[in-house]
Amino acid sequence: MVVGAFPIAKLLYLGVRQMSKPVANRIKAGARRSEFFKTYVCLPPAQLYHWIEMRTKMRIMGFRGSTIKPLNEDAAAELGAELLGEAIIFLIGGGCMVLEYSRQASNSRRKEDELNETINGLQTELAELALTTETLDAQLREINRQLLSFPVPTQSVSK
């Protein structure tokens, strides 16, 4: 049975992604309670998102010159907290993807290095065998030359 059939790394990534949702919810709740978070982190992206969304909807419906009223503070804080939570989940998921990609790339690189080492070893062995073959061929030619240099005994035919 293959030992690495269910890699631990994938299980850890799945755990991190599952834990990101409760973490994002806690951060959203903290953002709703904290005035600093609400004012400087939640409200600006929420107002920008609202402005872009409403402007797009107005253009689709044909109202080009209409002014867009900003969201009230409570709605903007809620929308900003939701955007923050979604951004956190997205970043954690993206981080998991980057880690998985780098793990796969390192595994691929390791396998390629092993294959290159095997190929280099086989090429070295092939070169040694070619040298051995040349040496044996030279020895065989020398033995044939020596055999041809011996006088051929003549056979006398007796009748």
Side-chain angles (χ1 to χ4, degrees):
M1 181 172 190
V2 178
V3 176
F6 190 70
I8 298 294
K10 288 185 180 180
L11 183 62
L12 288 175
Y13 292 150
L14 182 63
V16 167
R17 289 185 64 194
Q18 289 297 330
M19 289 177 55
S20 68
K21 291 179 185 176
V23 169
N25 288 337
R26 292 197 72 155
I27 290 174
K28 286 191 305 190
R32 288 184 192 112
R33 286 190 303 263
S34 170
E35 279 301 316
F36 174 80
F37 238 67
K38 189 185 294 184
T39 306
Y40 296 108
V41 177
C42 292
L43 291 181
Q47 293 293 359
L48 178 66
Y49 177 80
H50 172 71
W51 183 79
I52 291 172
E53 179 186 31
M54 292 307 293
R55 185 151 181 111
T56 305
K57 285 180 181 178
M58 295 296 239
R59 284 191 179 215
I60 289 172
M61 291 189 292
F63 301 112
R64 298 219 180 253
S66 302
T67 58
I68 299 167
K69 294 180 183 176
L71 286 174
N72 65 28
E73 190 172 312
D74 291 336
E78 185 68 29
L79 180 61
E82 289 295 322
L83 289 173
L84 179 65
E86 292 298 321
I88 289 169
I89 292 171
F90 180 77
L91 289 174
I92 290 174
C96 287
M97 286 176 48
V98 168
L99 288 173
E100 180 65 21
Y101 175 78
S102 66
R103 188 182 72 80
Q104 291 290 337
S106 67
N107 284 345
S108 176
R109 199 174 315 113
R110 181 184 46 81
K111 286 180 183 178
E112 188 175 326
D113 290 345
E114 289 174 0
L115 183 63
N116 285 339
E117 287 177 18
T118 303
I119 289 173
N120 287 338
L122 289 173
Q123 286 176 338
T124 303
E125 189 175 335
L126 184 63
E128 290 172 357
L129 288 173
L131 184 61
T132 303
T133 304
E134 287 180 23
T135 305
L136 290 174
D137 189 40
Q139 289 175 351
L140 184 61
R141 280 195 309 265
E142 179 62 26
I143 289 173
N144 282 338
R145 188 188 61 75
Q146 287 177 357
L147 281 175
L148 290 176
S149 68
F150 285 132
V152 179
T154 57
Q155 294 180 347
S156 56
V157 179
S158 20
K159 294 194 182 184

